[in-house]
Amino acid sequence: MNRYCLTVTCPTRRGIVAAISTFLAKHDCMITDSAQFDDQATGRFFMRVSFTPEEGADLDTLREGFEAVARLLEMGWAFHDEACKMKVVIMVSRFGHCLNDLLYRVRIGALPVEVVAVISNHMDYQKAVVNADIPFHCIKVTPDNKPEAEAAIMRVVEETGAELVVLARYMQILSDQMCRVMSGRIINIHHSFLPSFKGANPYKQAFERGVKLIGATSHYVTADLDEGPIIEQDIVRVTHAQSASDYVSLGRDVEAQVLARAIHAHAHHRVFLNGNKTVVFPASPGSFSSERMG
């Protein structure tokens, strides 16, 4: 049986949940999971509903029928087929732990995405990527060719039909224009617990401040460096006995896990932009299950 989900954002008002559940019931759809949040500070309402059409209603029929409901309640909305894997382009430089972790998770079915290309400004991971039957593009970036390099990157994104770009420790700053064009469609992993220690060498910054916790932050990319809406974060404890290089090593596992969780949430349509913040709903039952364990 098909499994779909509906995502909704709209101004807060009475009757939203009733309107959605009534519509789905009239189309013989069984709700299997639902999450909602009413942000009283902004007056915005957010909802995600997973459901199965028991009488075979297709997405086109549901979309056509839902337009009147959405118009009445001023909704931003979308229906999604949960069986469809999101197309993703991964970008990486010379630190490969996040890339390798993502490729493994995709291979065992733990992430509902299809990696349609890997882009790097170095050749370090060409063999690993090609061996995984994924197209590899080496696009060198220098101060003199940055516009041309970004144009080449965007061609890969457009030609592959990628819905999401993942910066898996890609150590180049994207232009303001690319950030605007791809707003809400680029996820970065920052090797620090933002908003502290932005920019370069955050582990060195943390070491010099003698912190007792280091972490990683996955966020949407904006023109403001390391200040995009945060999707996922986690930490690991350190002591005075660790060195700056220990921080780097300890941080690798946290970075990989945080980035994977952020992509999982985005690919399952659980993340909603809410100004400079995000609303991230819990995962639906069964969404973490893998096809195999190796």
Side-chain angles (χ1 to χ4, degrees):
M1 185 176 292
N2 293 329
R3 183 167 173 172
Y4 302 142
C5 79
L6 168 65
T7 55
V8 167
T9 63
C10 62
T12 298
R13 60 188 294 179
R14 289 193 303 272
I16 300 170
V17 175
I20 292 171
S21 58
T22 299
F23 171 84
L24 292 174
K26 284 183 176 178
H27 287 77
D28 301 306
C29 295
M30 173 66 74
I31 294 175
T32 58
D33 184 57
S34 180
Q36 66 193 63
F37 175 64
D38 179 16
D39 188 346
Q40 297 184 7
T42 63
R44 299 292 297 175
F45 178 86
F46 305 85
M47 190 171 186
R48 181 189 184 279
V49 184
S50 290
F51 63 93
T52 55
E54 295 186 322
E55 298 299 325
D58 59 35
L59 285 180
D60 288 338
T61 300
L62 294 171
R63 287 171 179 138
E64 183 178 351
F66 195 70
E67 285 183 357
V69 178
R71 193 180 310 114
L72 179 65
L73 297 174
E74 302 176 79
M75 291 177 175
W77 58 280
F79 282 96
H80 310 275
D81 186 343
E82 295 192 3
C84 292
K85 294 184 177 181
M86 183 173 289
K87 293 183 177 181
V88 173
V89 167
I90 299 176
M91 298 177 64
V92 63
S93 290
R94 309 202 88 156
F95 296 97
H97 51 289
C98 289
L99 170 67
N100 290 323
D101 179 79
L102 293 177
L103 294 181
Y104 173 73
R105 292 175 190 265
V106 170
R107 187 170 73 248
I108 67 169
L111 278 178
V113 302
E114 176 189 358
V115 181
V116 293
V118 171
I119 298 173
S120 181
N121 52 333
H122 299 280
M123 293 293 290
D124 300 48
Y125 300 104
Q126 180 193 32
K127 185 176 180 180
V129 172
V130 171
N131 285 347
D133 294 323
I134 298 169
F136 179 85
H137 304 266
C138 183
I139 301 175
K140 299 288 186 180
V141 183
T142 68
D144 296 327
N145 81 337
K146 194 173 183 69
E148 292 81 5
E150 284 201 349
I153 291 168
M154 288 304 300
R155 279 196 298 273
V156 174
V157 172
E158 292 163 4
E159 290 170 2
T160 58
E163 302 160 81
L164 177 69
V165 172
V166 175
L167 306 185
R169 293 299 301 271
Y170 180 70
M171 309 305 286
Q172 293 288 326
I173 297 174
L174 303 182
S175 70
D176 292 0
Q177 180 181 0
M178 186 172 178
C179 292
R180 286 192 296 269
V181 170
M182 296 291 293
S183 178
R185 296 173 55 202
I186 306 177
I187 290 178
N188 183 45
I189 182 65
H190 182 69
H191 41 309
S192 176
F193 197 69
L194 293 173
S196 299
F197 310 126
K198 302 174 186 176
N201 297 317
Y203 287 130
K204 183 173 183 291
Q205 296 177 51
F207 173 75
E208 290 173 348
R209 290 292 300 274
V211 303
K212 305 308 178 191
L213 296 169
I214 58 172
T217 303
S218 191
H219 63 92
Y220 288 114
V221 173
T222 65
D224 297 318
L225 182 65
D226 297 333
E227 293 191 10
I230 292 170
I231 306 168
E232 181 62 63
Q233 295 181 292
D234 208 344
I235 55 173
V236 62
R237 182 168 290 278
V238 294
T239 75
H240 62 276
Q242 266 92 53
S243 66
S245 59
D246 288 332
Y247 283 26
V248 174
S249 297
L250 290 168
R252 286 177 187 146
D253 287 343
V254 183
E255 293 166 30
Q257 292 175 45
V258 167
L259 181 58
R261 292 203 297 261
I263 295 168
H264 188 278
H266 181 92
H268 277 284
H269 312 287
R270 296 192 283 114
V271 187
F272 296 73
L273 288 170
N274 185 22
N276 293 324
K277 302 187 293 183
T278 59
V279 172
V280 184
F281 287 129
S284 296
S287 64
F288 284 110
S289 61
S290 301
E291 295 168 1
R292 55 187 185 277
M293 292 300 295

